[in-house]
Amino acid sequence: YGLVWEQKTEKVIADFLNHYLYLEEDASRRIINSDENKENLIIEGDNFDSLSILNYTHAGKVDVIYIDPPYNTGNKDFVYNDSYIDIEDSFRHSKWLSFIEPRLKLAKNLLNSNGFICISIDENELFALKLLMDDIFGSANYIGCAPRKGRGAATTKGTAELQTLNDYLLIYAKNKTELILQKKVIGKRAYPYKDERGEYYIVPLQDN
């Protein structure tokens, strides 16, 4: 039981294995933080290269990872080996899985023992991604699949397709037994919750 596909070689990974990569600071774009104990880092480059380099410096140190990969809709939203993958490509899904798998493995290595990862995705690859995540992170570390409204209104294409407004947020823990989800205790809000610790509200992702 599992997910099987024909692996397609990706040029960026082959190049990475044959070259030494390093980060070069652009001082003109430095982020100034008033707290001297904090450091912000923005890496501009291919995400496989960036994740690989971060594994040398930040392996096991990251609390939360959010990624927004190409959805592989077939509408020129996904580039593989410098070419757009269209809906008629017979290896469309194999190329997407070959693209995402090594990046997810690198991302997993970055998470600490109580960290978690969130991935935005829609129906084009949702079900394949769920099986792949079960394989990489373990089905026992599955947290949930949260629907997220992505469009204001459905469109009519004149086809038999069901038009949806949502995409999804697939969430996995590095180790679910060590994951701690906390509530934020505050004063009264429009829709407060309450327990023995006091009143609280659920913090939306965009407020964090």
Side-chain angles (χ1 to χ4, degrees):
Y1 174 75
L3 182 66
V4 178
W5 71 94
E6 183 169 342
Q7 289 280 353
K8 308 301 290 184
T9 301
E10 187 178 3
K11 183 177 181 298
V12 68
I13 296 179
D15 289 344
F16 176 85
L17 297 175
N18 293 313
H19 295 84
Y20 176 76
L21 298 181
Y22 60 93
L23 297 180
E24 183 176 348
E25 182 182 7
D26 182 352
S28 67
R29 304 177 73 177
R30 180 178 296 170
I31 300 172
I32 306 300
N33 195 310
S34 58
D35 187 342
E36 296 181 356
N37 296 321
K38 291 185 177 180
E39 179 180 338
N40 294 296
L41 180 66
I42 295 177
I43 300 176
E44 184 175 334
D46 183 87
N47 46 33
F48 178 85
D49 293 340
S50 302
L51 287 166
S52 297
I53 291 174
L54 283 174
N55 265 265
Y56 289 105
T57 59
H58 290 73
K61 297 180 180 179
V62 176
D63 296 321
V64 180
I65 295 175
Y66 168 74
I67 64 173
D68 186 15
Y71 284 7
N72 199 18
T73 64
N75 296 318
K76 293 188 175 182
D77 68 324
F78 174 42
V79 175
Y80 196 84
N81 287 344
D82 301 325
S83 298
Y84 281 109
I85 307 303
D86 64 40
I87 202 166
E88 301 299 328
D89 191 323
S90 59
F91 290 100
R92 170 183 160 203
H93 298 290
S94 290
K95 289 176 180 177
W96 189 87
L97 287 165
S98 297
F99 165 84
I100 199 70
E101 181 196 34
R103 289 163 173 82
L104 291 175
K105 288 181 176 179
L106 289 170
K108 180 184 178 183
N109 290 340
L110 292 175
L111 289 172
N112 60 34
S113 61
N114 58 358
F116 64 96
I117 184 171
C118 304
I119 309 174
S120 293
I121 200 68
D122 73 358
E123 291 97 336
N124 285 282
E125 298 293 354
L126 171 63
F127 309 105
L129 180 60
K130 174 64 169 62
L131 289 174
L132 182 61
M133 291 294 288
D134 282 349
D135 182 59
I136 294 174
F137 283 81
S139 59
N141 290 313
Y142 173 64
I143 300 298
C145 181
R148 181 180 65 176
K149 185 176 181 182
R151 295 200 304 269
T155 59
T156 302
K157 294 183 179 180
T159 69
E161 295 180 16
L162 177 66
Q163 300 299 300
T164 60
L165 303 180
N166 294 338
D167 59 11
Y168 302 90
L169 200 62
L170 203 56
I171 308 169
Y172 278 76
K174 176 71 173 287
N175 187 340
K176 192 174 181 179
T177 60
E178 296 188 32
L179 180 64
I180 300 174
L181 298 177
Q182 295 181 333
K183 302 168 185 176
K184 186 174 181 181
V185 179
I186 60 161
K188 289 186 177 180
R189 296 280 290 198
Y191 300 100
Y193 298 88
K194 188 174 182 178
D195 62 17
E196 66 276 4
R197 294 173 296 178
E199 295 179 336
Y200 65 90
Y201 72 107
I202 306 300
V203 182
L205 289 175
Q206 61 267 29
D207 289 350
N208 288 336

